[in-house]
Amino acid sequence: MRCKCLTQTVVQLSCALALITGGGTNLLHANEASKGTTRTIEQSNLITVKGSVVDTNGEAVIGATVLLVQDPSKGMLTNIDGQFSLTNVPSDGTLRISFVGMKTIEIPINGQTNIVVTLQPDNELLDEVVVVGYTTQRKESLTGSLQSISSEKLKGLTTPSVENLLSSKAPGVYVAPGGGQPGSKGAIVIRGKSTINGSTDPLWVVDGVIIGSSAGALNPSDIETMTVLKDAASTAIYGSQGANGVIVVTTKAPKADNITIGLSGKGGLTRLSKGNLRVMNGAELYDLYKSFSNQEMVKFPRWNEDLRNSNFDWWDFASQTGVIQDYTLSLTGGTEKLRNFLSVGIYNETGAVKGYKFERYNFLYKGQFKPFEWLTIKPQLMGSWGLVKNQQHSVGAMYSNLPWDAPYDSNGNIVPHKSQLWVNSNSTNYVYDLQWNESSSNSYEFMGNFDFDVRITDWLTFASVNNIRLLMGDSRWYEDPRSSSAMGVNGRVGEYRSKVVRRYTNQLFRFNKLFGDHSINGILAYEFNDYRGNDLDAGGIGFVSGFKVLDVTAKPERAKGGISEWAVQSVFANVNYSYDNRYLAQISLRRDGASNFGDNAKYGNFFSISGGWNIHREAFFNTDFINELKLRASYGSVGNRPSSLYPQYDLYSISSSASYDGESGMLISQIGNKDLTWEKTYTTGIGIDIAMWDRLRLTLDFYDKDTSGLLYQVPVTGLTGVTQIWRNVGAVNNKGFEAILGVDIIKTANTLWTVDANIGLNRNKVTKLYGVRDPQTNQVPPILLGDGIGIAGSAQRILREGIDADTWYLPEWAGVNPDNGAPQWYTNTKDENGNLVKEVTSNYAKANKTELGSYNPDFFGGLSSTFNYKGFDANVVFGFSVGGEIYNYTRSEYDSDGAYTDRNQMNLMPGWSRWTKPGDIATHPLPSYNNSTNSQKVSSRYLEDGSFLKMRNLSVGYSFSLPQYNIKNLRVYLSGENLFTLTKYSGVDPELPSYDGRVVGTTSSVYPNTRKFVLGFDITF
């Protein structure tokens, strides 16, 4: 239930109490009772007192405790309208009203029969309530592991992508950046990989609606809170979709108040961050060629010393200062009967690589209509339009093009392809094609909700969430007949269109009951979610230059399209029990059925059970300096589905390749598996929460995740024309530890200086694989995985029982022979006793592949500090990662010892050296023209430590109060993002980019990240 809110900073508080009440309920609590003294009440003075409890915005406070001080047995919780009614209370009595996150007050009755109480927020307790699966809970009553991040802590980055906001904000949450290209999105891994070949993306839930594996086109400025659910106690309620963790997003909600107008704006400049990769200028590249052992083989027309002075900088030519503009306008207000929230956003970014522009327009409307006391209707509309104009300069050419070649001749004319003016006369000049070739795309996303809540009794509420989501996209590309890419077909034009419709409905009962010291609340629900997508891809060739529509083409090149569908339905329940707020218990049960599983295993069951103990509430616990001490434990299961939509069916391909004599035909393309079932992850978690001296907070979590039934396309004999089949093949284990530490170093009336740190570590291990075990070794044959990326071969990973699932399997580099400068690798042999002996060889073909560590970091996390003094504020955020081996594909291309003479080479890092004479102890072998020693081939030579320390954000601001101009608040700030990175990694950025929703542990030629400087303001009227 998305419910009435207190203030913008305490939306989550009111939502929590919506769970635990549907109306007034008599309350007798030992802790509350001890605060009052019962006395005899004269019957003649008894009256009935009714009233309502509101916040400073006039908004109803749901679930506030209203007690008679003279007799605490007379008390209740306010209902969904914030109302209460107490009978037989003394006319001269006193009421005590309290609510989590608000200051407790006492109000004399003085014979009044109708009282309106306004509660003030208590800033000490604003984080007491967090959003969890399908509901909210008080932080003190949580039994699971999760991290809730408010909008204030999400403002550190200027980005249109919500995924990127989580960098360094939560322990155990690794965010792989999507690069610096405008609009790019990162990939997220929560508590390690629970799969070996599937996506690591978590499930995203926005305002109670499951929307999939990404946050979509949501405007970051519309977010109120983001909660990362990690363990079984918090994710099991999502069943088959929760294996990679769950991120729950709550957007800003309407308020019952006078109309409030908010306007935020940012303007910024961006520049590409080169990292440690520096390619050579003309003189440096000439000196490298002069050092070749076979200089006599260097033959091209311009080979002379004048090349030292030929120094075109392709990086500066293609890059520029990018510009960012980001504006959001919001309006909120209304009455208790009708309230509205409207937000409109515009994001515009010109890329730091020339020729690329990204725009996005967002809107969000949320309403709340209350025609009757028992009915609340909550419509919602969300939409976006994204536009990309792409005539971008080549990122690869920024590194690879020779500094001896330039895009223009001495007269300023563009150099044509394979020009004799170029040293690399076999290469094309991308600028020549860029005169005409271009592409553009549009993306549209609309989401509509019709939600409503029905208060059935004072302890039971029915909530209905009904959502439809429409995603559409179209893209066009044009390749001119004069361009190298389309010259052979006399021009090429193409169009692509796609449409996706997702429907979601959730029908849910919420209940809450209090029995003295006992509290029980929970949910019972049915959920349905389906997907239907279709796409159309068409292209034509042969036309007159300048025409850019398919209708002018002389010949169709392709015409294809498809339809894809899936559906999931579920029933689930969750029950929370509390005794005296000391002993906590929770149980979740869920049954899922999915369309992309076999007929014999279409349904799966998932569960969790967890408990908590608030030790600080025990009578024996009287330690003054400890404010909170809680133990948590949980165990449960979640699942995962295959990436394929129809792995259970035998499929046939109908295409041109299957045609015969002009007639269409069919070829078998997949063998189905009717027994295919869920990947299941069973997680055990233990945690402790400590708060001391009203200024120190510590959370520690340990987890152990066992994933079984791993989904994988297993190789099979190709006699039928099919070489793979989907099966459940094995198991993997993840163990980890997380810690969060927060300290208020200075805490006075005007000054607050807070430091927060988080750290997470994860250890991954394959525990089981499919196949027949070797009787001698008792091992199943390992599986080798490659990505097919590298120019000099693909870096492989090995799946073997007992080791990390991301272990590298490569020839092991043995360095440079000091006698002759030849490259060396290790080869493994056995002596007469069968012992393994390592020997050195200069013959790459004899080098043995071996297991060489994993790309998973040893540990990673973040550090932030916030300082506030009156109107001044300052904030800094760091991110760090230690350990992990990255395979740097860019080095095999740009650090090739002369193997690739058609592209530039990189300068050596500090501490590196090239062999020049016998006796040299060098990191790099003797280079040669068209190097044939294979030194650039795949090996551990290009494995590098991925450790880094990065300053993600530094901002300073000042807030003004200008009531004389009807301005409630004005904050102006200046921030810098991605300011520096400390690392020994020789590539552009040690933070691994994502690939197809996964972090793959390699880097090649990618769009570098950008350094940003932003000036912004937030103003409220």
Side-chain angles (χ1 to χ4, degrees), residues 8 16 114 118 150 300 322 340 471 495 538 541 708 778 831 981:
Q8 234 177 21
N114 197 335
T118 301
S150 68
F300 46 83
N340 299 281
L471 299 96
E495 292 189 19
I541 56 177
S708 59
N778 197 34
D831 60 18
T981 301

Side-chain angles (χ1 to χ4, degrees), residues 203 311 324 348 484 951:
L203 179 70
N311 187 30
I324 295 176
N348 186 305
S484 65
M951 179 181 276

Side-chain angles (χ1 to χ4, degrees), residues 86 145 154 182 195 217 221 233 246 411 493 503 526 546 653 656 780 826 911 1016:
L86 298 178
S145 176
L154 293 171
T195 183
S221 296
V246 182
N411 296 320
V493 171
R503 297 181 300 175
Y526 169 81
S653 172
S656 59
V780 173
Y826 286 110

Side-chain angles (χ1 to χ4, degrees), residues 103 331 396 584 590 623 632 740 746 758 762 764:
K103 293 181 178 179
L331 297 90
L584 315 168
R590 181 169 179 130
T623 306
R632 294 175 282 105
I740 307 172
I746 299 176
N758 68 78
N762 183 81
N764 176 285

Side-chain angles (χ1 to χ4, degrees), residues 454-662:
V454 177
R455 178 164 58 87
I456 300 173
T457 70
D458 60 356
W459 58 269
L460 180 63
T461 300
F462 172 73
S464 179
V465 176
N466 306 281
N467 171 273
I468 187 167
R469 187 170 179 232
L470 174 65
L471 299 96
M472 296 185 297
D474 63 75
S475 57
R476 297 173 175 85
W477 55 95
Y478 169 81
E479 298 175 22
D480 194 86
R482 293 164 288 183
S483 66
S484 65
S485 59
M487 187 180 299
V489 294
N490 198 28
R492 176 181 286 113
V493 171
E495 292 189 19
Y496 176 81
R497 297 178 184 177
S498 65
K499 183 175 74 172
V500 169
V501 177
R502 292 190 64 161
R503 297 181 300 175
Y504 175 86
T505 184
N506 186 331
Q507 311 305 316
L508 182 148
F509 287 95
R510 289 190 176 96
F511 62 90
N512 172 77
K513 272 291 186 180
L514 297 170
F515 306 96
D517 289 338
H518 304 273
S519 170
I520 184 169
N521 59 75
I523 58 177
L524 177 65
Y526 169 81
E527 181 178 86
F528 179 82
N529 190 10
D530 73 353
Y531 168 103
R532 179 182 173 88
N534 58 64
D535 62 280
L536 177 65
D537 185 5
I541 56 177
F543 54 86
V544 178
S545 178
F547 291 91
K548 301 180 180 181
V549 293
L550 282 169
D551 197 44
V552 304
T553 58
K555 180 182 178 181
E557 186 178 36
R558 69 185 179 282
K560 56 183 181 179
I563 297 175
S564 55
E565 297 175 304
W566 57 257
V568 176
Q569 68 172 349
S570 314
V571 290
F572 56 90
N574 173 267
V575 178
N576 293 274
Y577 169 79
S578 170
Y579 174 73
D580 197 26
N581 210 22
R582 286 181 290 165
Y583 310 118
L584 315 168
Q586 174 184 282
I587 185 170
S588 294
L589 299 171
R590 181 169 179 130
R591 181 169 174 82
D592 281 343
S595 63
N596 56 338
F597 278 115
D599 295 338
N600 300 334
K602 196 168 290 293
Y603 282 85
N605 300 316
F606 307 91
F607 74 95
S608 75
I609 183 169
S610 58
W613 180 22
N614 283 316
I615 303 174
H616 61 282
R617 290 191 171 274
E618 294 287 357
F620 63 79
F621 192 86
N622 54 9
T623 306
D624 294 336
F625 67 91
I626 296 180
N627 310 110
E628 178 187 358
L629 178 60
K630 181 167 75 172
L631 295 178
R632 294 175 282 105
S634 64
Y635 178 75
S637 63
V638 287
N640 200 10
R641 293 181 287 144
S643 56
S644 173
L645 295 181
Y646 315 106
Q648 73 274 37
Y649 298 129
D650 296 334
L651 299 181
Y652 293 83
S653 172
I654 305 175
S655 63
S656 59
S657 61
S659 64
Y660 177 76
D661 195 23

Side-chain angles (χ1 to χ4, degrees), residues 45 52 69 121 134 190 213 215 227 274 332 336 507 561 594 630 633 645 833 861 879 889 978 1017:
N45 293 328
S52 61
V69 172
Y134 298 95
I190 299 176
S213 59
T227 304
K274 289 185 176 181
T332 185
E336 286 298 319
Q507 311 305 316
K630 181 167 75 172
L645 295 181
N833 297 319
Y889 274 127
N978 196 27
F1017 68 89

Side-chain angles (χ1 to χ4, degrees), residues 891-902:
R891 281 188 59 197
S892 63
E893 192 171 355
Y894 305 128
D895 188 19
S896 66
D897 309 317
Y900 305 114
T901 57
D902 60 342

Side-chain angles (χ1 to χ4, degrees), residues 9-10 12-13 122-130 138-139 148 697:
T9 55
V10 289
Q12 63 269 44
L13 299 179
D122 187 343
N123 293 327
E124 297 291 326
L125 300 172
L126 290 183
D127 64 345
E128 282 296 314
V129 171
V130 293
R138 292 174 54 235
K139 186 176 180 181
S148 185
R697 301 161 298 278

